[in-house]
Amino acid sequence: MNPHPTAPSTTPRTPRSRDLARQREAITALGHELRMLLDATVRTAASPKTLEDMAAGVRSLTGQLTGHRRSVSEIPEVDEFPGGLRMYSPATGPGSPIAPPMRVTPTQDGVTGHLRLGIAHEGPPGYGHGGISAMLLDELMGWACAATGTPGMTISLHMRYQGPVPLETPLIARAHVAGTDNRKIFVKGSIAIEASASTTLVEADGVFVAPDAEAARSLFPALKNAR
């Protein structure tokens, strides 16, 4: 294997519509395998030699990911932004090695997320990190804003932790818009164990703001036709 692969192109390629589904499927498959590797990595008690060999192998695999590499401000061609699918989101992205990933579905009054945290999301032994809960609700509450037709960005998030969130347990997260004031959107969210969904473990109150067209163009220069 060539240890010095050709430098990746910086010219993005716009996929044809018939290629998009296959690209997303391939990203999802790779994301799944990377999550399995991540899980094995944080569980293993392998010897230093095994870990050193694995590091070398992963380094070689990384070298195979050639082609265009997007810049920090570039919107992935497989995403639907704003207000839609984010393939690499650390909360919902099926292509992200660190996402659970949370599966979001619309409901009559908001959105619902279904997920299961792994040991890679651990805070206290056996339970999810509090920051992971905040990230998940921040993401889901953003989806709730988008579901009303007004994507917004977080300006405040107040968390209340009423109980630890267990790992490797089906969880349900909920979010809905509670009110608006001009461009401000007030959102509520919660996380519970799916089997006892009425017992809330984590609650959040958030304030989001819908950026005006000028702010959107400044924040997201790659976003065309910002209204």
Side-chain angles (χ1 to χ4, degrees), residues 134-152:
M135 178 183 70
L136 292 168
L137 286 179
D138 182 42
E139 175 90 0
L140 191 65
M141 292 159 78
W143 278 75
C145 293
T148 67
T150 311

Side-chain angles (χ1 to χ4, degrees), residues 128-194:
H129 194 290
I132 296 295
S133 294
M135 178 183 70
L136 292 168
L137 286 179
D138 182 42
E139 175 90 0
L140 191 65
M141 292 159 78
W143 278 75
C145 293
T148 67
T150 311
M153 299 180 67
T154 316
I155 58 174
S156 73
L157 191 65
H158 179 68
M159 305 294 299
R160 293 180 298 279
Y161 297 90
Q162 302 181 28
V165 177
L167 301 178
E168 300 184 342
T169 302
L171 303 172
I172 184 168
R174 301 185 181 95
H176 69 276
V177 172
T180 60
D181 180 11
N182 196 8
R183 291 191 295 111
K184 287 185 178 179
I185 310 164
F186 303 96
V187 193
K188 291 184 175 293
S190 64
I191 298 175
I193 296 172
E194 197 168 276

Side-chain angles (χ1 to χ4, degrees), residues 44-200:
T44 188
S47 69
K49 177 62 167 62
T50 298
L51 296 177
E52 290 163 359
D53 290 345
M54 281 293 299
V58 172
R59 191 178 306 117
S60 295
L61 289 174
T62 301
Q64 296 182 42
L65 292 175
T66 58
H68 171 67
R69 291 188 182 178
R70 62 186 175 94
S71 65
V72 172
S73 62
E74 185 180 339
I75 299 169
E77 59 190 19
V78 291
D79 279 8
E80 298 169 356
F81 182 83
L85 178 68
R86 302 297 306 282
M87 289 296 294
Y88 300 107
S89 161
T92 60
S96 169
I98 63 173
M102 179 167 57
R103 302 178 307 280
V104 181
T105 55
T107 62
Q108 192 169 19
D109 63 346
V111 290
T112 296
H114 296 274
L115 67 141
R116 184 192 300 254
L117 295 179
I119 196 169
H121 305 115
E122 188 175 56
Y127 297 97
H129 194 290
I132 296 295
S133 294
M135 178 183 70
L136 292 168
L137 286 179
D138 182 42
E139 175 90 0
L140 191 65
M141 292 159 78
W143 278 75
C145 293
T148 67
T150 311
M153 299 180 67
T154 316
I155 58 174
S156 73
L157 191 65
H158 179 68
M159 305 294 299
R160 293 180 298 279
Y161 297 90
Q162 302 181 28
V165 177
L167 301 178
E168 300 184 342
T169 302
L171 303 172
I172 184 168
R174 301 185 181 95
H176 69 276
V177 172
T180 60
D181 180 11
N182 196 8
R183 291 191 295 111
K184 287 185 178 179
I185 310 164
F186 303 96
V187 193
K188 291 184 175 293
S190 64
I191 298 175
I193 296 172
E194 197 168 276
S196 52
S198 61
T199 302
T200 299

